[in-house]
Structures are given as C-alpha cells and as structure tokens.
Amino acid sequence: MTTAAAGGAETVPPADKRLPGRSERQRSPRPRRSVTGTRKAVATVFLLPALVLLGALVVYPIVYSVYRSFFDQAGTGFAGLGNYKALFTDDTIRTAVKNNAIWVVFAPTVSTALGLIFAVLTERIRWGTAFKLIVFMPMAISMLAAGIIFRLVYDQAPERGVANAVWVGVHDTFAESAGYPNAHPLPVHPLEAGGGGSFVTKVPVRAGEPVSLPLVGVAPAKMPGDAKPAKAAPTEPGKITGTAWLDFTKGGGGKPNVIDTEELGLRGLEVEAVRDGRTVASATAAADGTFTLPGSADGALLRLPASNFKEPYNGVDWLGPTLVTPGIIGSYVWMWAGFAMVLIAAGLAGLPRELLEAARVDGANEWQVFRRITVPLLAPVLAVVLVTLMINVLKIFDLVFIIAPGSSQDDANVLALQLYRSSFGTDADLGIGSAIAVLLLLLVIPVMVFNIRRIRKEGRR
C-alpha cells in the first residue's frame, strides 16, 4: 500500500507483514485453566472436611448398625432376621412401637394446632408479641430441665405436684370429705367395730341424752385447718345430740371419754342412726364436733360409716401406667407449641391481606375466613411444622427417660428409649439395639422423602 505525503512517497507494508505490537500481543490467545475445574477443586477442598465427618459420624454408623443387626448378642454368630423378628414378638418392644405411633399421631398434631390457634388469635391484639414470647420461652429450656420440671409437676403428692394440687383443690371444692384414715376408738370408748371399716355405738342412744363419740389415731397435723376445740353438745328435747372429737391431748394428759380444753372436734365426720340394718337418719359433725339427729333416731345405734376413714382424695396418678404417655406428651406440647406458633406466625405475616379483606367484604365471617382462606394459604407452612415435629418425636428420648418413674417406664417406653436400654447395661444386646436403630431409620426415611419432595415442589413455583 502506498500513500502520498508532502515530503514524498512512503511505502507502508501490508497489514499481515507488520510486526505485532504490544496491544496485539495482549490480544493473542493464551492457554488458560478451566474456570469450572477451578471452582470444582475449591468446592471439593471446602467440602472435604464435612464429607469426612459425615462419613465417620453418619454413614459408617448406619452401615455398621445394619451389619450388626444381623448378628447375635455376642456379635460372633449370624442371627439372620432373628433380631428383627424380636421387634414384633417381644412385648416390651411392641409397647415401644405402639407408643411411638401414639406420639407421631398426637404430639405433632396438637402442637401444630395450638401453634396455629395462638398465631391467629394473637395477630391483632396489642400484647400479642409478649404472649408469643412467653409461649416460646420453653424452647430455651433443655429437654433435661423440662423433664425435671414436669416430673415435679406430675408428683402424686398435692403439696409438691402442681397438677394434683389444682386437681385436688377443684375436687374438694365440690366433693369435700373428712378423711380420717387412721382414726379408731379405744377399748374404753363407747364405740366398737361395726364391720366393713365402720364403728357403731355399743348401746342404743336415747333422745335428750348427749352422745360421746371419741376417736384417736389422727395426728394433730392432719386435722382440718378449720377444726375448732370440741365442746359438749347441748341437750335438746326429742332429739339426739352429741360430740365427735379427737380424744387426744398434745404432750399427754387428759382423760378418756372426757372433752379436754385442747382437744379438737372431728369436723365433717358422718354420723348415721341405724335401726334393723337400715339408716333412719344422718348428720355431719360441725367444726367443734357437735351434731344433731332428729327424734326418729331414738333407740337406734349410731354408726360412723367407713367412708369417714378412707384415705383423703389424693388426685390423679399422672405418672401411672394409664396416663404416663399422655402426661409426657403434654410436656412435649408445652415445649414445642411455641416453635410451631413462631413459624406459623411468620407465614401468617406473609399472607396477601387483600384476599382476607375481600372475603370479609363478600360476607364471610371470621371462622369462614380462617377455614377457607387462612388455613389453605398456610398449608405449606403447616406441612413444614408438622413434618419437622414428626421427625422430632420419632427420636424422643429425654422426656420419657426423665419423667416416667421406674414403675411406669415400661408403659411409657418408646423406640429411642428401648434402643438405649437394649444397647447399654449389664444385659445389653447390641444385635437388638442395632435392629431398633435400623427400624427408626426406616421410619424416618419416608417422612424425609416427603419433606424433600415438598421442598423441591415449592422451589419450582
């Protein structure tokens, strides 16, 4: 190529014959490492420690548990499916399976339902945040501490167990009883055994003659708090009057069959007039022990029925064989209802308010809005909470181990507890324990598969 210039002609070499400049050298292709390969290498380096731990702490125990479940107690003889057959033939393990089924059905359902109710009801109130904080606070307590708390709550003695203190208080409000379980007369008293735990007077009573019904055997500390000093009953013509009292003086002293100044009346004691085996009249002793019967009791024997001497109502045996599992489930709900409430409240905050308001404008009441709009829109959140709690209760151990007393632990048994009992101790059978562990794994897998599919389905939306 030739160009004209003022100083003459200059010949410019063709482009393909020019020497490459610096900029062209920079543009020339160079061999580079693959970006994808680099990223994979970096990811592998960072994931390697986690993969090693996962293999050592999860994969290897699972594989070894499956392997060990086919061997006998000593681990030297091949047992085949014998350990798995024992899971469905041994009564203790069958009870654990049954209780686990009860846990999976009721504990997550009740916790989720309460969480939904709390989340919806506290949405519009001013102190809703404080209420949610209080309900969620049990989540900050460990299972061990919660177990100890509810072991005390369910204590049989009303003076220690809150549940029985409330129950006994309500019962005694509507069905008050005297409750003098160890009371009895002395040989010198005018009473004798009447059969069936009752006591009767030795001779018939007469109108206008006061009757004395002394008893002993009641500790002063066990006397009713509103009992008053006993006093002699006044004489009433045509009626039977008398006094029932504790014929015992603190520190000794006093005379039998005589009302001393420090002796207390047996408040609430039932007195019946019996003639020919039939009750003709009855009365209840006042706080000072006095009572009055009508004239129809003249010539009858007075009987103190056995109901006076039965043990006082002591509440419900919360940790007995019948109620121990529902009681422990109650403690679990107390802990995890707050967890369900917080998650559901977060989902509730993201609902489109225009749909709720449109339903109200169209004439739907609050129950219809809740049932037909709120609950269907919250279905994904409710599924997350329910599945999470189901996985959690399948491995429940702490609460059952701590709350259930030794006498009821077999009745409250669950698979995780039975796994511990079968794998440790003096008579441990690792073959049975490994089979229980594999059974637990098989029970958890369907729930996890359902959860993974649900998450993937939500991700495609």
Side-chain angles (χ1 to χ4, degrees):
M1 180 181 295
T2 304
T3 56
E10 179 181 359
T11 303
V12 180
D16 55 348
K17 293 184 179 181
R18 286 180 295 176
L19 296 176
R22 182 178 179 183
S23 60
E24 292 179 351
R25 288 197 301 269
Q26 291 177 346
R27 289 195 299 268
S28 63
R30 292 182 178 180
R32 295 181 300 172
R33 297 178 60 186
S34 171
V35 176
T36 304
T38 303
R39 289 178 177 176
K40 287 183 178 179
V42 172
T44 302
V45 170
F46 279 99
L47 287 176
L48 188 60
L51 292 175
V52 171
L53 289 175
L54 184 67
L57 301 179
V58 178
V59 177
Y60 172 74
I62 291 176
V63 173
Y64 182 76
S65 295
V66 174
Y67 168 79
R68 185 65 178 82
S69 66
F70 293 104
F71 287 83
D72 59 10
Q73 181 176 6
T76 55
F78 185 73
L81 297 177
N83 292 325
Y84 291 96
K85 291 180 181 178
L87 300 184
F88 303 98
T89 56
D90 184 270
D91 291 338
T92 303
I93 301 178
R94 287 170 61 186
T95 301
V97 174
K98 181 194 71 175
N99 287 338
N100 256 104
I102 295 173
W103 272 88
V104 170
V105 171
F106 289 100
T109 304
V110 175
S111 299
T112 304
L114 285 178
L116 176 62
I117 293 172
F118 290 156
V120 172
L121 293 182
T122 58
E123 188 184 18
R124 296 185 178 182
I125 57 178
R126 182 176 301 176
W127 46 271
T129 302
F131 179 82
K132 291 176 182 177
L133 178 63
I134 294 173
V135 175
F136 187 75
M137 280 181 64
M139 283 296 299
I141 303 174
S142 67
M143 287 282 195
L144 173 65
I148 295 173
I149 291 172
F150 274 87
R151 181 65 181 268
L152 296 175
V153 168
Y154 291 138
D155 195 289
Q156 180 68 33
E159 60 270 18
R160 293 194 301 270
V162 175
N164 264 343
V166 175
W167 194 269
V168 170
V170 173
H171 174 273
D172 288 349
T173 300
F174 299 98
E176 186 176 3
S177 59
Y180 300 107
N182 298 316
H184 61 277
L186 293 174
V188 297
H189 286 162
L191 291 166
E192 62 183 2
S198 65
F199 299 101
V200 297
T201 54
K202 297 177 181 178
V203 296
V205 295
R206 297 297 176 186
E209 299 178 4
V211 183
S212 297
L213 301 178
L215 293 173
V216 295
V218 182
K222 297 293 184 179
M223 290 290 290
D226 54 353
K228 296 181 179 179
K231 68 178 183 180
T235 301
E236 294 188 24
K239 294 183 178 181
I240 305 296
T241 59
T243 304
W245 79 98
L246 180 63
D247 195 13
F248 173 80
T249 303
K250 270 187 175 182
K255 297 180 180 180
N257 296 329
V258 176
I259 300 175
D260 297 306
T261 56
E262 296 183 6
E263 295 175 347
L264 299 176
L266 296 174
R267 182 192 63 80
L269 195 74
E270 293 290 332
V271 182
E272 297 176 345
V274 181
R275 183 184 291 113
D276 299 328
R278 184 171 58 90
T279 301
V280 295
S282 63
T284 302
D288 58 6
T290 58
F291 61 89
T292 302
L293 291 168
S296 58
D298 186 28
L301 293 174
L302 295 190
R303 179 175 64 186
L304 303 180
S307 58
N308 289 310
F309 311 108
K310 67 181 181 180
E311 291 287 342
Y313 184 70
N314 206 33
V316 177
D317 188 8
W318 298 102
L319 299 181
T322 304
L323 296 177
V324 61
T325 295
I328 300 174
I329 291 177
S331 66
Y332 179 89
V333 171
W334 176 76
M335 289 190 67
W336 288 88
F339 167 82
M341 179 195 64
V342 170
L343 291 187
I344 295 172
L348 195 62
L351 293 184
R353 298 297 166 177
E354 58 271 13
L355 293 179
L356 304 179
E357 295 302 328
R360 295 187 179 99
V361 171
D362 289 341
N365 56 38
E366 291 301 324
W367 168 245
Q368 291 172 326
V369 171
F370 172 77
R371 184 167 59 92
R372 297 182 178 272
I373 299 178
T374 303
V375 173
L377 290 177
L378 284 175
V381 179
L382 295 177
V384 171
V385 175
L386 197 61
V387 171
T388 302
L389 294 181
M390 288 177 66
I391 295 174
N392 186 266
V393 299
L394 279 173
K395 56 183 182 178
I396 193 70
F397 166 78
D398 318 60
L399 290 178
V400 181
F401 183 72
I402 296 169
I403 296 177
S407 58
S408 301
Q409 202 166 86
D410 285 343
D411 300 285
N413 199 15
V414 290
L415 285 174
L417 177 59
Q418 186 59 40
L419 171 61
Y420 169 79
R421 296 168 67 178
S422 297
S423 301
F424 302 96
T426 56
D427 196 27
D429 189 337
L430 292 181
I432 296 290
S434 299
I436 297 174
V438 174
L439 176 62
L440 273 175
L441 177 64
L442 294 177
L443 292 176
V444 171
I445 285 177
V447 182
M448 294 181 64
V449 169
F450 170 80
N451 203 24
I452 292 172
R453 287 183 176 179
R454 185 197 55 78
I455 293 173
R456 289 179 177 176
K457 186 178 179 181
E458 291 294 325
R460 295 192 199 104
R461 294 181 180 180

